[in-house]
Amino acid sequence: MITALLLFWPALAALLVLLIKGEGAKKVAFIATLVEFAIALFATVNFVPDATTQFAIDTPWVERAGIGFSIGMDGISLLMVLLTTFLVPLIVLSSFKHDYKNPHVFYALVLFMQTGLIGVFVSMDAFLFYFFWEVALIPIYFIAAIWGGARRIPVTFKFFIYTIFGSLFMLAAFIYLYFQTAGTELAAHSSNVNAFYQLTMDSATQSWIFWFLFLAFAIKMPVFPFHTWQPDTYTESPTQATMLLAGIMLKMGIYGVIRWLLPVVPLGVSQWADTVLVLSIIGIIYGSIIAIRQHDLKRLIAYSSIAHVGLIAAGIFTLNEQGLQGGMIQMLSHGINVVGLFFIIDIIFRRTNTREISNLGGITQTTPALSIMFLILLMGSVALPLTNGFIGEFLLLSSVFQYNYIFGAVAGMTIILAAVYMLRMFQGVMFGTKSEATESFADLTFHEKAVLIPLVIMVFWIGLFPNTFLSISEPAVGQLLSIINR
């Protein structure tokens, strides 16, 4: 029941928001997202940290075909649900100072997208997973295409084509896998995740299925060289859409790898893990170097995301507990940090009407609150010890070093390169002499602090008490590894 409530409450709230005109829509949407977060916290309190799927619902959807409405949460799913329900209220609150045209439509689309995201993380049926995978895409496409920047139409069209292209490969793989499953009393085949886990296929078959699934997930993450849609989409989208894309939606791809790729085609993974690691490490270096050369704040953070996701992907494909647990905690950390950084960029842009680093400077002279919170989020992003980013990067780099010390040494450059582009950005924006654009720059308002303070708290909470979250996913990760290594 809890899982169903988590899944359908945002959709019901979206329908209500559509009926509300004017400023009331954002307030109702915010309250609805807080209720969703409260439901997720209730589920967390009642969650037993073991490897079972809890709060499960498994009812026939297309009974004679063996397709079920099967939802539930293990520790891996729960962490993603917590991330989603924690960030969406802050993303909605961050939009309160924006005057979006047709706000009831905007906030309804955000809530519909939340339903799609939650659906991806709780689906235990392949075709239900695919359904919510596409449901999550449609709202963000319209948000970016309607409220985005001057180049929004060609940019969002490219994003849409990329993701649909990858999704079709995933659907083809799911259909093939479905027809390989054993039957039940009511149907010849099953699309339940456990039926997929029980399949035994030769390495050649698993090899092509691996690439069909990996292509879909790699585009969404994105992993080099499937990343070309990302920088322009992040830059042209309205800030709240960028937050949804970077903070939550890219985690769909990583989650898909963990849930639907690694345990389903372990022989394919063992064949191609080195290739994925090489691509991921190239992405780390490439994303970091391009980020160093950026002058637009939003594009800089967009390219930094490619580097961070590259490290997560590399760690996951080492197929050890440190790598998978590091990937889980780093998904939380990256989501928190990137949403905070994009919001700070939005604050700077609203006050100065520019995102060019060369046009800024001296902001810290009159903004102690903004300076402190900006620095904390930045330090989390560069993995300073005692911050959230340190835990994930330590586990991920440790796993890569154990897998191959050369891969580990190259991937470890992310620490140095991240410090270069992040500290360069902070110096150019916050220090030096004031420019014409920053002459009368005001410090954070109460509403802006209300968005940033919870994010700052989580930077330190995860950094100081990581077992709060690692203990939730540990049993499920252990069971996943036992399926992969069977």
Side-chain angles (χ1 to χ4, degrees):
M1 183 63 184
I2 294 175
T3 311
L5 197 56
L6 277 168
L7 181 59
F8 292 117
W9 168 248
L12 293 173
L15 295 175
L16 176 62
V17 168
L18 278 174
L19 302 175
I20 301 172
K21 306 295 183 182
E23 293 296 305
K26 65 177 67 172
K27 296 175 183 177
V28 173
F30 179 60
I31 293 169
T33 58
L34 288 178
V35 171
E36 178 81 348
F37 183 49
I39 298 168
L41 289 178
F42 180 79
T44 305
V45 170
N46 289 277
F47 184 82
V48 179
D50 59 26
T52 61
T53 300
Q54 299 172 40
F55 317 117
I57 297 174
D58 190 3
T59 59
W61 186 14
V62 186
E63 187 172 11
R64 293 194 174 185
I67 301 172
F69 183 81
S70 181
I71 57 175
M73 290 186 286
D74 62 4
I76 296 169
S77 297
L78 181 59
L79 286 187
M80 294 297 95
V81 168
L82 280 172
L83 177 67
T84 303
T85 57
F86 172 70
L87 289 180
V88 172
L90 299 177
I91 292 170
V92 171
L93 183 60
S94 74
S95 70
F96 273 29
K97 295 300 181 182
H98 287 271
D99 186 21
Y100 288 123
K101 186 178 180 181
N102 298 320
H104 60 297
V105 178
F106 178 87
Y107 292 105
L109 287 171
V110 171
L111 289 167
F112 277 127
M113 183 178 177
Q114 187 173 24
T115 288
L117 292 166
I118 296 293
V120 165
F121 297 136
V122 302
S123 293
M124 296 296 162
D125 180 279
F127 294 119
L128 189 66
F129 174 84
Y130 177 80
F131 171 77
F132 283 115
W133 181 275
E134 300 298 359
V135 166
L137 169 64
I138 295 168
I140 196 67
Y141 170 78
F142 283 109
I143 292 171
I146 296 172
W147 291 279
R151 297 178 56 244
R152 63 188 184 276
I153 299 301
V155 167
T156 51
F157 181 72
K158 180 180 180 180
F159 162 61
F160 186 79
I161 293 298
Y162 256 79
T163 50
I164 285 292
F165 177 76
S167 298
L168 292 175
F169 279 92
M170 176 172 64
L171 179 60
F174 279 171
I175 291 171
Y176 178 85
L177 291 167
Y178 165 77
F179 281 112
Q180 307 311 305
T181 59
T184 64
E185 294 180 0
L186 298 174
H189 303 284
S190 172
S191 55
N192 189 275
V193 66
N194 291 315
F196 281 22
Y197 288 175
Q198 293 166 11
L199 289 173
T200 55
M201 298 172 287
D202 61 72
S203 59
T205 301
Q206 290 196 28
S207 181
W208 71 259
I209 293 174
F210 170 88
W211 281 107
F212 272 47
L213 292 174
F214 179 72
L215 186 62
F217 301 142
I219 288 171
K220 191 75 77 176
M221 290 158 71
V223 170
F224 178 92
F226 309 106
H227 67 284
T228 56
W229 63 267
Q230 189 242 46
D232 286 339
T233 304
Y234 281 20
T235 304
E236 291 298 320
S237 297
T239 298
Q240 285 65 43
T242 306
M243 291 176 177
L244 287 166
L245 284 164
I248 310 171
M249 196 168 185
L250 71 78
K251 280 54 175 195
M252 288 168 50
I254 303 169
Y255 174 84
V257 168
I258 295 172
R259 177 74 69 197
W260 294 98
L261 179 64
L262 301 183
V264 173
V265 287
L267 296 179
V269 173
S270 64
Q271 281 182 292
W272 295 105
D274 283 357
T275 302
V276 174
L277 275 157
V278 169
L279 292 177
S280 300
I281 292 168
I282 290 172
I284 293 171
I285 306 302
Y286 168 83
S288 298
I289 291 173
I290 300 298
I292 291 171
R293 297 179 60 84
Q294 294 306 303
H295 303 287
D296 182 288
L297 291 172
K298 221 174 178 186
R299 291 186 74 85
L300 189 154
I301 302 301
Y303 279 106
S304 78
S305 282
I306 296 173
H308 284 109
V309 169
L311 181 58
I312 295 172
I316 287 171
F317 275 90
T318 60
L319 301 181
N320 60 46
E321 186 174 1
Q322 281 184 315
L324 285 168
Q325 283 286 74
M328 292 305 304
I329 200 76
Q330 192 66 358
M331 280 195 279
L332 299 182
S333 301
H334 177 263
I336 290 162
N337 295 336
V338 79
V339 165
L341 290 171
F342 275 125
F343 182 54
I344 287 171
I345 292 169
D346 184 55
I347 291 170
I348 292 170
F349 180 76
R350 282 189 285 111
R351 284 165 169 67
T352 64
N353 202 35
T354 183
R355 293 194 302 260
E356 289 291 319
I357 295 174
S358 59
N359 294 335
L360 301 168
I363 292 176
T364 193
Q365 297 173 24
T366 54
T367 59
L370 174 64
S371 300
I372 292 169
M373 293 189 192
F374 192 179
L375 185 62
I376 290 170
L377 289 163
L378 185 144
M379 289 296 104
S381 190
V382 300
L384 186 76
L386 305 182
T387 66
N388 57 357
F390 175 77
I391 305 300
E393 290 207 7
F394 178 83
L395 290 171
L396 290 165
L397 287 172
S398 175
S399 69
V400 177
F401 265 105
Q402 290 178 38
Y403 184 87
N404 183 300
Y405 71 92
I406 296 175
F407 286 172
V410 179
M413 291 178 65
T414 183
I415 298 172
I416 300 169
L417 294 172
V420 171
Y421 61 73
M422 284 294 185
L423 293 175
R424 168 185 167 273
M425 173 185 71
F426 192 80
Q427 180 184 28
V429 172
M430 304 301 289
F431 294 141
T433 58
K434 280 185 173 288
S435 66
E436 183 179 345
T438 60
E439 189 63 41
S440 57
F441 200 100
D443 206 357
L444 297 176
T445 64
F446 173 80
H447 140 267
E448 290 163 348
K449 290 177 183 177
V451 175
L452 290 172
I453 287 174
L455 297 171
V456 168
I457 290 171
M458 291 308 301
V459 168
F460 290 116
W461 188 345
I462 296 175
L464 295 170
F465 308 105
N467 281 336
T468 307
F469 304 97
L470 290 172
S471 61
I472 293 174
S473 60
E474 184 178 4
V477 165
Q479 184 185 57
L480 200 74
L481 284 170
S482 68
I483 295 171
I484 294 169
N485 297 321
R486 67 185 186 272

